[in-house]
Amino acid sequence: MQVKIEESWNAKLMLEFEKPYFKDLVAFVKSEYQSKTCYPPGTHIFATFDSAPFEKVKVVILGQDPYHGPGQANGLCFSVNDGVLKPPSLQNIFREIQQDLGIPIPESGNLERWAVQGVFLLNATLTVRAHQAGSHQNKGWEVFTDTVIETISKEKEGVVFLLWGGFAKKKAKLIDEKKHLILTSGHPSPLSANRGFWFGNKHFSKANEYLKEKSKNEINW
């Protein structure tokens, strides 16, 4: 099956695209996009792969679902398009970066500038129906994205995995902690952050410290 995805990722995942579950998933997604309003736009479903080729991935941030409001989702987890109001979780991410590294909160919530530096912004589910969170879960996306995480773990070394919240933490079992750095904390959503489970985790400085130890370029958060 021909999937429009960045070349290096296609080489790693082409066998996955031929599996029955993935063909069923494609049929489901096509039907949903034809009959419903869905996000992100079809051309952006694999945006995180296109922005961060396999060989450049240094940090993985895992989200659960794309944003389901108009104009928000752009294919990168936690990211929104330029000019779109920052959702609360993203605001809290920027607040933690400001506290951790002294970096001013940016005007735009578009995280493509992270992606091009090798930050792989992966949602476990890559599509969603408008205004219906979780509507495309358990259709096959999670099988696919689990394989992506395992592929990064097996075939690369010295990657930082940032797992925020209970859902993301469960993915730690897919990662070889002897080869990579796994950092976990509460989710940046207000419910978790305001209860003391997010702020002060210093994940952004810790990630850069680890990358520096591995002689890799630090991320300009």
Side-chain angles (χ1 to χ4, degrees):
M1 172 174 280
Q2 187 65 38
V3 175
K4 291 183 179 179
I5 195 170
E6 193 275 332
E7 188 175 334
S8 65
W9 281 109
N10 185 62
K12 299 294 181 184
L13 300 169
M14 61 173 62
L15 295 179
E16 209 67 18
F17 300 146
E18 299 302 323
K19 293 182 179 179
Y21 89 85
F22 195 86
K23 293 180 179 180
D24 290 344
L25 171 63
V26 169
F28 167 76
V29 170
K30 282 184 177 178
S31 174
E32 285 284 289
Y33 272 72
Q34 287 169 359
S35 61
K36 309 282 193 314
T37 299
C38 296
Y39 302 119
T43 54
H44 287 71
I45 292 173
F46 294 106
T48 190
F49 298 85
D50 298 332
S51 298
F54 183 81
E55 62 274 8
K56 291 188 177 181
V57 172
K58 297 186 289 189
V59 178
V60 176
I61 298 178
L62 187 67
Q64 188 165 2
D65 229 21
Y67 296 123
H68 51 80
Q72 291 181 305
N74 62 8
L76 311 176
C77 76
F78 293 105
S79 175
V80 291
N81 289 309
D82 293 328
V84 175
L85 189 68
K86 302 182 193 79
S89 291
L90 184 56
Q91 292 181 34
N92 285 338
I93 288 170
F94 286 142
R95 283 177 61 195
E96 174 58 25
I97 292 172
Q98 183 181 45
Q99 292 174 20
D100 185 14
L101 294 168
I103 297 173
I105 294 174
E107 286 188 22
S108 174
N110 192 334
L111 302 181
E112 188 172 0
R113 57 193 174 80
W114 291 3
V116 297
Q117 297 179 74
V119 181
F120 191 61
L121 297 157
L122 181 68
N123 276 314
T125 302
L126 298 187
T127 57
V128 69
R129 194 182 295 175
H131 310 299
Q132 295 186 41
S135 50
H136 287 187
Q137 290 178 5
N138 302 314
K139 301 295 183 181
W141 277 130
E142 296 91 339
V143 179
F144 174 69
T145 54
D146 279 1
T147 299
V148 171
I149 295 167
E150 288 179 316
T151 300
I152 295 171
S153 176
K154 289 176 182 176
E155 300 194 24
K156 295 183 73 73
E157 290 190 12
V159 174
V160 182
F161 289 83
L162 303 181
L163 307 182
W164 302 332
F167 176 84
K169 289 176 185 176
K170 293 177 183 175
K171 303 297 182 179
K173 64 179 184 291
L174 305 173
I175 304 161
D176 185 347
E177 61 183 351
K178 296 177 183 175
K179 294 170 58 183
H180 307 285
L181 176 65
I182 302 173
L183 296 175
T184 64
S185 78
H187 196 275
S189 66
L191 184 64
S192 172
N194 294 338
R195 290 164 58 198
F197 300 127
W198 166 254
F199 292 113
N201 66 27
K202 297 189 180 296
H203 279 188
F204 304 96
S205 60
K206 289 176 181 176
N208 276 352
E209 287 166 11
Y210 180 80
L211 292 174
K212 191 173 181 180
E213 288 172 8
K214 297 294 181 181
S215 300
K216 297 181 181 184
N217 289 335
E218 298 171 53
I219 304 299
N220 179 12
W221 299 107

